[in-house]
Amino acid sequence: MEKKSIAVLGATGSIGTQALEVIRAHPDRFTVYALTAGSNADLLIAQALEFRPSVVVIADPDKYKQVQTALAGTAINVLAGNEALEEVVQHTGVDTVLCALVGSVGLRSTLAAIEAGKTIALANKETLVVAGALVMDLAARKGARILPVDSEHSAIFQCLAGEQAQQVDKIYLTASGGPFRGKRRADLNAVTAEQALRHPNWVMGAKITIDSASLMNKGLEVIEAKWLFNLDVSQIDVVVHPQSIVHSLVQFKDGSIKAQLGLPDMKLPIQYALTYPDRVENAFPRFDFTDFSTLTFEPVDRVTFRNLELAYRALATAGNMPCILNAANEVVVAAFLKGETGFLAMSDVIEETLAAVTFMQQPTLADYESTDQQSRIIARELVTKSRKIYHIEK
Ligand code: NAD
Ligand code: MG
């Protein structure tokens, strides 16, 4: 069997490290062409020494020397800065690019990989939220396959295998509800980042964990699903399923529903994206019915978790609205993690940013990038204002 050569963007993160577990478990199937990290030089070095990629990229230029010195004497080429990613992903030695950066910073390297016709294993949902139309259009023109890594989208993708797109009635994305499921707005006024970081079912990077607590993650996933599966916004529904066993569902025209189940373990959707269309044996823990006698479902509370409502609205308006939503969200989540804004204030800032930034119906890449920058500036100003209000309330 010919080995698949993988470039792992964001190798030191939650998805990146789990992807390397999958790759480590299947040395007969995979080789690593490139590993990249933001600033975690120590882990990147350790990973490079184990997986022996051709190239590593460290985004933080201050860490370049450290990585370079540690890998001197190996055949590994060390590069710095995110511009290098765009070149690395296009190399002829790469088959599949696993995009596991967090945030809109992942857009350019994903586009570069698509441009080169690579297969994309896409974890970086923000790429599709920001510029879904552009990304999917380029992928169609270049014949680049985009395979979902996000568990819900992997579930939908698996349910659609062997089906015809026009026979889908709607999809249901499942949401665990996060640590604040069942809470009301009054309960959430004073919650801290520490409380929000305690996700009941998944261990993930900090940004997506806050997004899960605020349900922005589900909002981003609604937008991601629209683009991956070419659906109308009216065909995408969300249902709360606290056990995170049913990863999502597809309802067909005849009323039949297919679901995909498994333990909440990202290694499964990561592996499926890397081995697709093959299903490959592994030693990961398996779902056991005796551990879960009850699986429950409940409606989602879009009043308390207003971010989901905002995401639906941004998607319905389309254009650069989802890009504004994403940029504002990245700003407020970073601020919330630092204790600079309140949990509920995050939605206020996002809503005000959506209203403040100039709307564009059919943005180009340059328009998306300027929208992203403009939205961040406005959201930061609003955070500073909200901070004053937040401190008075406390
Ligand atoms: P993480 O924060 O754990 O890891 C992010 C990775 O990107 C790290 O390797 C980091 O070094 C790198 N990075 C961060 N900022 C960077 C920058 N400015 N330049 C270059 N590299 C940078 O995040 P994660 O939880 O692994 O999530 C990655 C993506 O996958 C996100 O888009 C997230 O929404 C999505 N996702 C994650 C999970 C999960 O279980 N963690 C599940 C579904 C989807
Ligand atoms: Mg998900």
Side-chain angles (χ1 to χ4, degrees), residues 8-18 36-40 43 47 57-60 81-82 85 99-103 105-106 122-127 149-153 202-209 211 217 220-221 224 265-266 269-270:
V8 184
L9 310 189
T12 55
S14 163
I15 292 292
T17 52
Q18 293 181 84
T36 89
S39 59
N40 189 342
L43 184 54
Q47 291 175 338
V57 183
I58 182 94
D60 181 350
N82 274 339
L85 297 184
C99 299
L101 299 187
V102 58
V105 68
L122 188 67
N124 180 230
K125 64 189 81 182
E126 293 90 348
T127 280
V149 168
D150 213 347
S151 57
E152 295 77 2
H153 305 75
W202 300 92
V203 181
M204 308 176 285
K207 193 252 175 186
I208 184 176
T209 307
D211 285 346
N217 183 50
L220 301 181
E221 290 183 354
E224 181 186 12
D265 178 353
M266 286 308 295
I270 292 168

Side-chain angles (χ1 to χ4, degrees), residues 1 105 108 111 116 152 169 178 217 231 278 304 308 343 387:
M1 182 177 32
V105 68
R108 273 185 169 261
L111 286 173
E152 295 77 2
D169 181 33
N217 183 50
L231 298 166
D278 294 347
T304 304
L308 181 57
F343 189 80
R387 191 174 178 179

